[in-house]
Each structure stands twice: as structure tokens, then as C-alpha cells.
Amino acid sequence: QKEVEQDPGPLSVPEGAIVSLNCTYSNSAFQYFMWYRQYSRKGPELLMYTYSSGNKEDGRFTAQVDKSSKYISLFIRDSQPSDSATYLCAMNYGGSQGNLIFGKGTKLSVKP
Amino acid sequence: NAGVMQNPRHLVRRRGQEARLRCSPMKGHSHVYWYRQLPEEGLKFMVYLQKENIIDESGMPKERFSAEFPKEGPSILRIQQVVRGDSAAYFCASSRSGGGTEAFFGQGTRLTVV
């Protein structure tokens, strides 16, 4: 079993739709959870990070963590064509370990 | 407020040559991380450095790869005697605090070995 599982998609939605992106993980020692957006041939861009279970909102983005189920989600409201990108979840153990464990990414396409 | 700067953006090397990838972290960041991304693969951790110290190199191949972050200047990822399998995008990230949390990435160096 991989440490972090993420459906690669592709996921295609119409403009204005609510998008739900998810990752599951197997290691309960993970402490921090992050979502990155990566446009084609660009570097990953940090969208959000959370520490505890619960929700965190930033504009049109909401990150949700359920540690009991080892499940994290990113919701995008009122999706725009400019949101078309690959979304990567990442997590780490915190402390002195610098190793971010990434999912393979979900490719999202928002159609006008 | 410049982000993480990587250069060169594209690098072509013949098999057997050396590749040097440079990374300047964001201002105020003293923690640097290198990742490799192969086509259709996720980002894989290689090494974590602070100034003059390697903190975690558990993801580095045992041979041909080395990294440094000197007191002055950028962090360097060095690949000796490159092979075709080294062709990938190499990303550098930096953070203000340790542990990789809230790490910001550069635009990457795309290495092609011919």
C-alpha cells in the first residue's frame, strides 16, 4: 500500500462547478497536510496547509482533514478555467524531517 | 519579494557529463529541499539541507548525486556522470522553519540527458 493515494483523474468539470479533490494516506504519524497546484511545466504552488482535523478556508478553497479516516480533501467553489491544473496533496511528519510525501496529483480541467 | 530561484531552467547534458543545478531560497528561508519529478510520477524527495549542513539525504541515490548549501551562495545539486535515467524535472523548495511545512517551490530545472 502506498503511503499517499490520489486519483490521477483526469477530472473535467464545467465552469462554476464545485470541485472535490481527495487523498487518502496510510501513516497515522503524518502531522501536516498541504495542497499544491501545478500548472504544466511549472513549479508546484502552495495553496493551503493544515495541521489538525477540521476545515480551513481561503477564498474559494477549503481544505478538510479527517485524521480518523486518514482522508483529506480540497474543495474549489465557483471553479474557473484558470483553475485547470494538476493538484497535488502532500504531507509530512513535522519536526526535523523535511520529507514531504506527495500524491501523484489529480489533473483538473475546467471547461468554459 | 522574489520567490525561490532556480537556474538554469533547462539543461542538456551528454551521457557521462556533470550537471550542476542551482537554487537560491526565498529571503529569510534557511531550509532547502530538493525533489525530482519524473514524467507521470509524483514528486520524490531527495535531500534536505540547512546552511552548511545536510539534515536528511534519505532520498538521494547513493552514487553520483551530491548536494550542498554553503554559507554563502546558492544550494547546488550535483549529478556526476549523468545517464539517460537522470532526465527529469528537479525542483528546489525552501521554508522558513524546518520539517518541510509551508515549503515554497521554484520553477524547476529540466534536465535532459542525450
Side-chain angles (χ1 to χ4, degrees):
Chain A
Q1 184 185 10
K2 292 184 179 177
E3 281 194 289
V4 179
E5 298 270 11
Q6 186 176 9
D7 188 337
L11 179 62
S12 183
V13 301
E15 183 176 355
I18 297 174
V19 176
S20 172
L21 303 163
N22 312 293
C23 287
T24 59
Y25 62 95
S26 58
N27 194 333
S28 57
F30 287 133
Q31 299 284 333
Y32 293 89
F33 304 89
M34 281 140 278
W35 285 97
Y36 286 85
R37 177 174 63 193
Q38 187 176 24
Y39 292 110
S40 180
R41 305 190 71 77
K42 300 289 187 183
E45 174 192 359
L46 179 63
L47 290 175
M48 301 184 74
Y49 84 95
T50 54
Y51 172 68
S52 58
S53 284
N55 294 351
K56 183 176 181 180
E57 190 173 319
D58 184 359
R60 296 185 297 111
F61 298 92
T62 299
Q64 194 173 78
V65 175
D66 182 347
K67 284 189 172 181
S68 63
S69 300
K70 300 191 184 71
Y71 188 88
I72 67 171
S73 300
L74 179 71
F75 299 97
I76 307 174
R77 290 184 299 282
D78 188 24
S79 56
Q80 304 294 309
S82 59
D83 294 328
S84 298
T86 296
Y87 289 79
L88 304 163
C89 64
M91 46 201 78
N92 71 355
Y93 303 100
S96 62
Q97 289 188 297
N99 189 3
L100 277 177
I101 314 295
F102 279 87
K104 285 194 173 183
T106 299
K107 190 169 185 179
L108 171 67
S109 177
V110 181
K111 304 292 186 186
Chain B
N1 183 18
V4 177
M5 304 300 292
Q6 288 189 251
N7 66 81
R9 292 292 310 277
H10 302 275
L11 182 61
V12 179
R13 284 288 177 265
R14 296 188 182 278
R15 281 177 293 172
Q17 291 184 320
E18 179 179 288
R20 284 193 178 223
L21 289 62
R22 289 178 291 278
C23 169
S24 296
M26 285 179 68
K27 188 176 180 180
H29 288 191
S30 60
H31 301 262
V32 166
Y33 318 84
W34 286 92
Y35 288 80
R36 177 164 62 177
Q37 188 173 41
L38 292 165
E40 306 306 321
E41 292 289 326
L43 282 151
K44 301 296 184 188
F45 169 79
M46 299 181 76
V47 63
Y48 165 28
L49 310 105
Q50 277 189 282
K51 286 284 187 181
E52 300 183 279
N53 286 304
I54 296 175
I55 308 301
D56 180 358
E57 56 180 349
S58 59
M60 285 280 269
K62 297 290 182 235
E63 297 178 349
R64 303 188 297 109
F65 286 72
S66 62
E68 62 176 6
F69 189 15
K71 188 176 179 181
E72 301 291 337
S75 175
I76 306 287
L77 178 68
R78 182 181 177 205
I79 311 172
Q80 295 178 289
Q81 298 176 307
V82 296
V83 300
R84 288 250 172 90
D86 297 332
S87 296
Y90 292 84
F91 290 97
C92 169
S94 72
S95 65
R96 189 179 301 277
S97 58
T101 305
E102 205 173 11
F104 294 85
F105 280 76
Q107 293 302 306
T109 293
R110 277 163 181 78
L111 172 66
T112 302
V113 180
V114 297

